[in-house]
């Protein structure tokens, strides 16, 4: 989920937010839930990206090593 998709999800729930001049009033618990959701989504995506990068790095190292065919077989 990117920032545009997150904003669209918020606007789906609160259509009045589509108006840039709308004044938003929100309880602290609502703001906390919104921030927690954004954090959780970002953390999940970051962990997934980190695992993918680590896997790519390991694959690249195996291909560079001259004896890698012996280890794979």
């Amino acid at each position: 989920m990117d920032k545009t998709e997150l904003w669209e999800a918020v606007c789906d729930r609160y259509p009045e937010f589509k108006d840039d001049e709308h004044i938003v009033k929100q309880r602290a618990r609502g703001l906390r839930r919104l921030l927690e959701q954004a954090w959780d989504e970002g953390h999940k995506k970051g962990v997934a990206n980190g695992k993918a990068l680590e896997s790519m790095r390991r694959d690249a190292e195996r291909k560079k090593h001259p004896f890698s065919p012996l280890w794979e077989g």
Side-chain angles (χ1 to χ4, degrees):
M1 175 179 279
D2 64 12
K3 61 184 175 182
T4 303
E5 292 169 334
L6 178 61
W7 180 246
E8 288 172 0
V10 170
C11 287
D12 286 345
R13 182 169 174 133
Y14 304 100
E16 62 273 12
F17 287 8
K18 292 178 185 176
D19 177 12
D20 287 340
E21 300 303 314
H22 181 74
I23 297 173
V24 177
K25 293 182 181 181
Q26 188 174 30
R27 293 189 185 272
R29 74 174 158 257
L31 180 58
R32 177 177 285 168
R33 283 188 207 136
L34 179 64
L35 294 176
E36 286 174 354
Q37 179 184 1
W39 172 269
D40 291 342
E41 291 290 329
H43 183 266
K44 189 183 338 177
K45 186 80 164 191
V47 168
N49 286 342
K51 288 179 181 176
L53 288 173
E54 179 64 23
S55 176
M56 289 171 53
R57 185 190 61 77
R58 274 188 265 122
D59 290 345
E61 283 180 2
R62 270 193 217 125
K63 290 178 183 174
K64 289 180 186 177
H65 198 284
F67 298 112
S68 62
L70 297 174
W71 293 330
E72 294 173 2

